[in-house]
Amino acid sequence: MRRIVKTEVLLSRQEIEAKVRELAEEVSRDYQGKNLLLICVLKGAVVFLCDLLRLLEVGAEIDFMAVSSYGNSSKSSGVVRILKDLDQSIDNKDVLIVEDIIDTGLTLSYLRENLLSRNPASLRIITLLDKPERRIAQIKPDYCGFSIPDKFVVGYGLDYQEKYRNLPDLCVLLEFA
Ligand code: IMP
Ligand code: MG
């Protein structure tokens, strides 16, 4: 098995914090008087969800979904399996899907269709990171923190084989041994 030996900071914790603050202001403006439900896609988006949630100036409910693409490589297969579904109905809710990163877009494209079939009042997507170069499915986030180059990143909740989620900065994996 390959072992990562080096990481390099792509986005510092300060840059991320400032961006999350901006996003929270936008969301707070847009969702005044609405029935906001944040749906966090486990596990990578939990850190983003927590930071965003605490900065919102509108009330919001939260719920979680866990999905997995078949296979365990770092490449998406496009076939998505629901590992954990929502606890509640989203009927009449203004749903905002909270993602850590959009890569091929296949995961979100599946999730969007799945959630739309449950009759939410509205459905939007917020992602901290976007890798537009690798897009396969037609997915455009309504709110996006940063567009980043096609590099595998970890930290701020994102993992490589379940590790590195704890890094406070967003880092690029540089070397393998
Ligand atoms: P997509 O279906 O290709 O858009 O895959 C999105 C999911 O793949 C994200 O929610 C992440 O869980 C994972 N992912 C994609 N790129 C990265 C990365 O650079 N680092 C960590 N996870 C990633
Ligand atoms: Mg994810």
Side-chain angles (χ1 to χ4, degrees):
M1 196 169 95
R2 300 197 297 177
R3 189 170 62 86
I4 294 151
V5 293
K6 216 170 163 210
T7 60
E8 185 181 72
V9 174
L10 180 69
L11 297 168
S12 70
R13 62 201 80 177
Q14 293 84 359
E15 287 173 275
I16 296 171
E17 190 192 332
K19 185 62 78 176
V20 175
R21 205 169 282 283
E22 276 175 34
L23 290 170
E25 279 169 18
E26 255 186 273
V27 171
S28 299
R29 260 201 312 273
D30 294 352
Y31 284 88
Q32 272 184 32
K34 306 250 167 147
N35 256 337
L36 177 58
L37 169 65
L38 303 172
I39 296 184
C40 174
V41 186
L42 294 172
K43 305 170 190 169
V46 283
V47 177
F48 177 41
L49 171 81
C50 293
D51 283 351
L52 182 71
L53 181 63
R54 283 179 293 187
L55 290 167
L56 287 183
E57 285 159 24
V58 286
E61 295 178 29
I62 61 171
D63 207 338
F64 298 88
M65 271 184 99
V67 296
S68 143
S69 42
Y70 284 100
N72 58 359
S73 73
S74 54
K75 294 251 184 299
S76 298
S77 67
V79 186
V80 174
R81 185 164 47 128
I82 294 184
L83 303 176
K84 184 224 169 287
D85 207 340
L86 300 173
D87 292 337
Q88 55 174 288
S89 153
I90 60 170
D91 196 46
N92 242 354
K93 295 275 164 73
D94 292 293
V95 170
L96 184 57
I97 303 177
V98 181
E99 251 294 21
D100 49 358
I101 186 165
I102 308 179
D103 188 17
T104 62
L106 292 167
T107 308
L108 266 185
S109 151
Y110 171 85
L111 261 187
R112 185 179 55 187
E113 293 315 307
N114 183 290
L115 292 174
L116 276 175
S117 72
R118 307 185 199 189
N119 290 319
S122 66
L123 181 74
R124 286 186 179 175
I125 295 167
I126 184 167
T127 186
L128 180 68
L129 305 164
D130 190 6
K131 280 199 247 184
E133 280 170 53
R134 290 189 17 106
R135 196 73 93 254
I136 294 171
Q138 284 275 354
I139 282 279
K140 209 174 164 297
D142 300 278
Y143 308 89
C144 172
F146 303 92
S147 266
I148 61 167
D150 179 16
K151 297 202 164 124
F152 199 81
V153 289
V154 294
Y156 197 74
L158 286 88
D159 72 307
Y160 173 69
Q161 296 185 347
E162 296 299 326
K163 298 210 164 46
Y164 304 96
R165 294 190 194 276
N166 57 306
L167 300 179
D169 305 304
L170 188 82
C171 299
V172 176
L173 298 184
L174 279 185
E175 290 172 26
F176 298 84

